[in-house]
Amino acid sequence: ETNSTLKAVEAQFGLTEVLWNVDSQDWNNASTAQIVQAASTLQNGGVILMHDGYQTTINAVPQIAANLASRGLCAGMISPSTGRAVAPTDTPPGTTNPTTTTTPQPGGGSCTATYRTSQQWGDRFNGEVTIRAGATAITSWTATVTTTSPQRISATWSGTPNWDSSGNVMTMKPNGNGNLAAGASTTFGFTVMANGQWAAPTVSCRTP
């Protein structure tokens, strides 16, 4: 159930409300055939309400999958930005993003930054960034981590952070000595309060 008050609270906390367009009626003693029939009305981006506690629903799943496939559709995932169903990807939001290589410094040396999500809970996730020196040793590094609003970084470790005025761009420098031998690496981490947005941060690294 929802109403304007609930929607206002959702907006305040940057949450996306996800409802369904098709009710399978499995909670109302619908048969497997009736659940399959309800699912056959799904369109691209649609969401169906089903419950895994009913054997009739479990029995309906293979038939529903076959029907979707015959219409060029598939089971998907909820987009954190729109709240609508989208096709699944090999890299779900909040898991990984590509390595970024920076321009070498005048004195030689470069670094790369690689991000991964190490842990995830219902309201937040932990990110880890690996900084790796290139073919030449470096004496220091600066990493940039950019989150997607309304995300906020609530904690950091193994580095010295600073934020820009938006609060979404964090620069991280090493604690103490930032020397890295050629090919050597170090890591730092942080906690992101998702606030309904599960996109992975983007990261880059530069050598001052």
Side-chain angles (χ1 to χ4, degrees):
E1 297 182 3
T2 188
N3 57 30
S4 59
T5 301
L6 183 58
K7 291 180 186 298
V9 174
E10 291 162 0
Q12 178 184 348
F13 288 95
L15 301 175
T16 300
E17 183 177 86
V18 180
L19 295 175
W20 55 91
N21 343 57
V22 176
D23 185 348
S24 71
Q25 293 284 314
D26 59 357
W27 54 271
N28 197 26
N29 298 317
S31 66
T32 293
Q34 289 171 323
I35 295 168
V36 171
Q37 173 58 36
S40 71
T41 66
L42 280 168
Q43 301 299 314
N44 189 27
V47 177
I48 185 170
L49 175 66
M50 293 166 39
H51 304 81
D52 60 7
Y54 301 107
Q55 190 61 47
T56 49
T57 301
I58 296 170
N59 294 343
V61 169
Q63 298 177 61
I64 292 172
N67 177 270
L68 291 174
S70 71
R71 296 193 287 134
L73 300 173
C74 65
M77 52 187 275
I78 298 297
S79 165
S81 57
T82 67
R84 302 295 296 157
V86 295
T89 66
D90 292 333
T91 307
T95 53
T96 60
N97 68 291
T99 298
T100 303
T101 304
T102 63
T103 304
Q105 62 182 358
S110 63
C111 60
T112 60
T114 306
Y115 170 83
R116 76 179 186 94
T117 296
S118 56
Q119 293 174 288
Q120 184 167 317
W121 297 271
D123 60 345
R124 65 195 187 280
F125 58 91
N126 282 351
E128 180 181 276
V129 176
T130 300
I131 303 296
R132 186 176 301 278
T136 305
I138 60 176
T139 58
S140 189
W141 51 266
T142 300
T144 301
V145 177
T146 304
T147 59
T148 303
S149 182
Q151 291 176 344
R152 283 293 180 270
I153 294 177
S154 61
T156 66
W157 53 93
S158 303
T160 302
N162 281 290
W163 281 267
D164 73 345
S165 58
S166 73
N168 290 115
V169 180
M170 177 182 72
T171 56
M172 181 72 81
K173 294 187 176 183
N175 281 336
N177 190 334
N179 289 344
L180 285 177
S185 65
T186 186
T187 62
F188 66 86
F190 49 89
T191 299
V192 177
M193 302 306 297
N195 293 320
Q197 172 58 261
W198 295 94
T202 59
V203 298
S204 64
C205 178
R206 60 184 172 85
T207 50

